[in-house]
Amino acid sequence: MKNNLIKTVIEDHIAVVTLDAPPVNAQSKDFMEELIGVFDELNHKKGVRCVVLTANGKVFSAGADIKNRAKQSEWEPGEVNRHLRRAREVGFVIMEMNIPVIAAVNGPALGAGMGLAICSDIIVASRNAVFGLPEIDIGLMGGVRHTMRVFPIGLTRRMVLTGYRVPAEELYRRGLIEACVEPEELMDTAMDMARNIASKSPTAIKLAKRALNTVETMGLKDGYRFEQNLTVEMTGTADSKEAMAAFLEKRPAVFSDD
């Protein structure tokens, strides 16, 4: 990992990935490519069971690098399509992780910055965080479909059409994020959740994540059948046998990353 614009620390099965592109963690070409590379590597790194995504500074991510986008007329042929491809993959590389991702949103998450959060599995935020889609005010479009996965249609339309920035407290009240805490409590809250996940069977975590990603767009019967097949797959593993034995013997389970 380069650890230039994206800092990564791995300890006790948890990878803490920190956006570190001051002053506002704007998503330049280099930023996006490094972030994609980090998540691709973590996706297959032995021993990592959960990722916490957060940021340095007062802003989680202000989204697109507007200074660079303003020069789009000067881009070489093909660069627009390459940029759009990178922008798509920044979100999908998080969604398609084999392991859970917790977004610990420490400040404003705007546009593509909000995209990083809503592509994660779990969102926790500090009270000074806001979530917004400012594209309508800066000559851009985007973020609608990802936002509709997580937020109600009415709220999504308000955000897209007015640029409304939703306070984290409102999202928590609506049940759309899992915690809204004081800034100094944010990482402790995220890490408590991450440690809980990391204590589970690595095999079970990956199969559960596969189920969550797959059944979201399936019908009820097909989705449940898919989950049942994963249950059959799980019961044939050493982790399943260990979990059942530990339950019957009333002891903590011990899982391996092998």
Side-chain angles (χ1 to χ4, degrees), residues 14 22 32 56 82 91 111 116 128 150 167 169 186 220 231 235:
I14 300 167
M32 289 188 285
N56 277 334
R82 284 190 289 271
L116 299 180
N128 58 350
V150 182
E169 289 185 342
L186 178 63
L220 176 60
T231 296
T235 54

Side-chain angles (χ1 to χ4, degrees), residues 24-221:
V24 294
N25 295 310
Q27 297 182 34
S28 64
K29 169 180 176 289
D30 290 342
F31 179 102
M32 289 188 285
E33 289 184 350
E34 188 172 339
L35 185 65
I36 291 167
V38 165
F39 275 88
D40 276 340
E41 187 170 338
L42 289 175
N43 196 32
H44 296 283
K45 194 166 186 66
K46 186 176 179 180
V48 176
R49 301 180 187 177
C50 188
V51 175
V52 174
L53 175 63
T54 191
N56 277 334
K58 297 181 179 181
V59 177
F60 180 73
S61 174
D65 183 350
I66 301 302
K67 290 182 180 179
N68 186 48
R69 289 296 295 270
K71 300 177 182 178
Q72 186 170 318
S73 61
E74 302 172 12
W75 290 4
E76 304 210 354
E79 184 53 34
V80 170
N81 285 337
R82 284 190 289 271
H83 173 78
L84 294 176
R85 190 176 302 112
R86 278 192 296 268
R88 287 195 299 270
E89 288 309 308
V90 164
F92 287 119
V93 77
I94 295 173
M95 291 178 66
E96 294 169 358
M97 285 284 284
N98 289 325
I99 55 179
V101 179
I102 300 171
V105 182
N106 58 301
L110 306 176
M114 190 179 86
L116 299 180
I118 61 178
C119 285
S120 302
D121 297 285
I122 298 170
I123 303 172
V124 298
S126 64
R127 296 192 187 281
N128 58 350
V130 294
F131 296 71
L133 296 172
E135 284 87 348
I136 198 163
D137 293 322
I138 55 176
L140 297 174
M141 289 286 116
V144 175
R145 189 63 193 92
H146 276 302
T147 305
M148 280 185 174
R149 281 185 56 249
V150 182
F151 294 174
I153 291 176
L155 178 59
T156 299
R157 288 178 180 271
R158 181 183 178 189
M159 295 170 72
V160 170
L161 296 174
T162 71
Y164 175 55
R165 299 185 180 191
V166 193
E169 289 185 342
E170 179 180 340
L171 292 178
Y172 181 64
R173 175 177 57 81
R174 287 170 171 256
L176 302 176
I177 63 176
E178 296 309 302
C180 178
V181 298
E182 297 300 331
E184 61 271 18
E185 298 172 0
L186 178 63
M187 284 306 294
D188 286 342
T189 301
M191 292 302 290
D192 282 347
M193 290 187 182
R195 281 188 285 269
N196 184 306
I197 292 171
S199 70
K200 313 298 184 188
S201 152
T203 304
I205 289 170
K206 291 177 180 178
L207 290 178
K209 182 70 186 280
R210 190 195 306 173
L212 289 165
N213 281 350
T214 305
V215 303
E216 183 177 349
T217 56
M218 296 176 74
L220 176 60
K221 189 170 184 179

